[in-house]
Amino acid sequence: MAVYTDVSDEELGAFIDRFNIGTLLSYKGIAEGVENSNYLVHTETGYYILTLYEKRVNPDDLPFFLGLMQHLAGKGLNCPTPLIDRDGQMLGELAGRPAAMVTFLDGMWVRKPQLVHCSELGKGMARMHLAGADFEIKRPNSLSVDGWAPLLDASRDRAHEVKAGLAEELTAELDELQALWPKDLPSGVIHADLFPDNVFYLGKELSGLIDFYFACNDAFAYDVAICINAWCFEPDGMFNVTKARALLEGYRSVRPFSELEFDNLPLLCRGAALRFLLTRLYDWLSVPEGALVVPKDPLEYLRKLRFHRGVSNASAYGLDK
Amino acid sequence: MAVYTDVSDEELGAFIDRFNIGTLLSYKGIAEGVENSNYLVHTETGYYILTLYEKRVNPDDLPFFLGLMQHLAGKGLNCPTPLIDRDGQMLGELAGRPAAMVTFLDGMWVRKPQLVHCSELGKGMARMHLAGADFEIKRPNSLSVDGWAPLLDASRDRAHEVKAGLAEELTAELDELQALWPKDLPSGVIHADLFPDNVFYLGKELSGLIDFYFACNDAFAYDVAICINAWCFEPDGMFNVTKARALLEGYRSVRPFSELEFDNLPLLCRGAALRFLLTRLYDWLSVPEGALVVPKDPLEYLRKLRFHRGVSNASAYGLDK
């Protein structure tokens, strides 16, 4: 939750002149997102979001991210739409950073998701998977199974500070996942970070998906597995199978699961849990002593991982074949 | 720059129902202000700012702050106006914090103030001083001359970590200011924190004053002295007398200075410099090792203080008697 780069009114005014959106009236830094600096911008024609891409985003990936949002919006999906400037460009530069302006989406993320939100999420995610099918740029998922070994290695020596025996448990898990990881699942563009704060609702209706900066090409069902982890456990750590069923049934009503996806869902859920466990573990061990930002607890995902290890087939998630 | 308290959509929706401003459509935490949590709120009727008052604000002061904004807005001054709920209250409670909704002001603060901004600031500040004259609630200035000794004492033992001999220099300065501080200056409600980020402009026009959470009763000319410190030094530390003249002439065109104010201006500028030096020094020494937030440099204000000590009368600030 931060704004890393300050922008002057003069710089921003000049940047905005490249779009046909009228004079700048106000802008405010938004305390959301940990990767980039975001401003809510008001001009004579309405409200927009300005994003300055900070170091954690690879500039080479920006044509993929921005092009994807354009592509999905063009197919009728509710997501931020990058504005195109007079030269036909979506990407510009502001305050020494790559920068883009996107449309403002109404809606709020839900702190306590209910069944209806899970169901709507399932449908919206499936629509996104279908809408992205013919998007031409490709971006491999660097945080899938091949990326986990180097991540684990980076934390191995200090993992015991978080929990005794953690490195050993994760090494064994990773070995098994590497051996069993399915290769021929239906694939396409996935969001890969559909946590509740990236999904907007107006009342019970899903009003938009945001933050496509982890989007990549991977198995559709892996995106589903990420959401099962992110949406279907209660704050006390208990798995809520009713929410999972709502999510999966919602998804299936738009895009049916193949038999291979059904069979591999528990394994994909283990993988998704390991992926967030590993990045959280790395962040946890990297935060300087006394820092004001408290990193997210990696062990939340160890508990989720262990739950999925005890699941033998997708019916434990409420999904009938 | 932070949001300290997270608010759920349900809580906020219920809070907003107390005002007649339609259904909640979105809200985003704003990375502005270091004292409170602020959200930009969109409803069916427009945009508003929600403020949750955190620990550094004394709840007993809130009727003064909110009442003052209402009072000033009622006199035609551009400032955030607190909304009044169905029970006639401006102050409510949200997420366990005192909370208020105010109107949204367009405009931007200027990172590099020009002469015209200083002149407009002078006029706007004088208008605020006149508009506040008949505001009935009183709030003494706890950060004026009587408050500086305890502040200095709190940093005395470690001031040398910032600069050798600092405690001694400030003690001598404080002694002199306490002896000479004028008591009978024209007084009323002052803003007491009119730094550039609290003054909004649209182009060259002042469009609003914000953040009244240091406002109090004190000498009008002390408010002017704070602005001379905050607006009239260049980033390289040089005093810009042309900006000071613009500020003072702008002020005088709305509210003339008395002879006593004119004569005391250098002393008031020393006092204002010491006040910000002392709070910055305290914050500087209180920040935990490794924290991500970099406190403001106290020595910037030592240089300003020394400049004012070399000033014999207000003509050094470009002001003719």
Side-chain angles (χ1 to χ4, degrees), chain B residues 188-267:
Chain B
V189 176
I190 69 168
H191 183 286
D193 196 37
L194 273 180
F195 276 65
D197 55 340
N198 288 332
V199 184
F200 285 0
Y201 296 85
L202 282 169
K204 296 174 177 177
E205 310 255 311
L206 195 152
S207 64
L209 306 177
I210 66 162
D211 200 348
F212 285 79
Y213 301 108
F214 285 95
C216 54
N217 290 84
D218 205 339
F220 294 135
Y222 182 61
D223 224 6
V224 175
I226 289 171
C227 290
I228 288 177
N229 277 285
W231 290 74
C232 302
F233 288 85
E234 298 301 322
D236 64 3
M238 295 293 286
F239 184 69
N240 187 327
V241 66
T242 319
K243 287 186 178 174
R245 179 182 293 121
L247 195 162
L248 294 167
E249 293 292 352
Y251 188 94
R252 176 148 80 174
S253 71
V254 176
R255 180 189 164 265
F257 293 108
S258 73
E259 187 153 336
L260 199 62
E261 287 178 306
F262 182 88
D263 292 341
N264 276 290
L265 200 53
L267 191 80

Side-chain angles (χ1 to χ4, degrees), chain A residues 111-112, chain B residues 5-17 24 27 93-96:
Chain A
R111 273 65 176 174
K112 296 175 191 166
Chain B
T5 303
D6 191 31
V7 174
S8 76
D9 48 320
E10 292 156 342
E11 284 174 303
L12 181 55
F15 185 79
I16 279 177
D17 277 347
L24 179 62
Y27 63 107
E93 191 180 296
L94 182 55

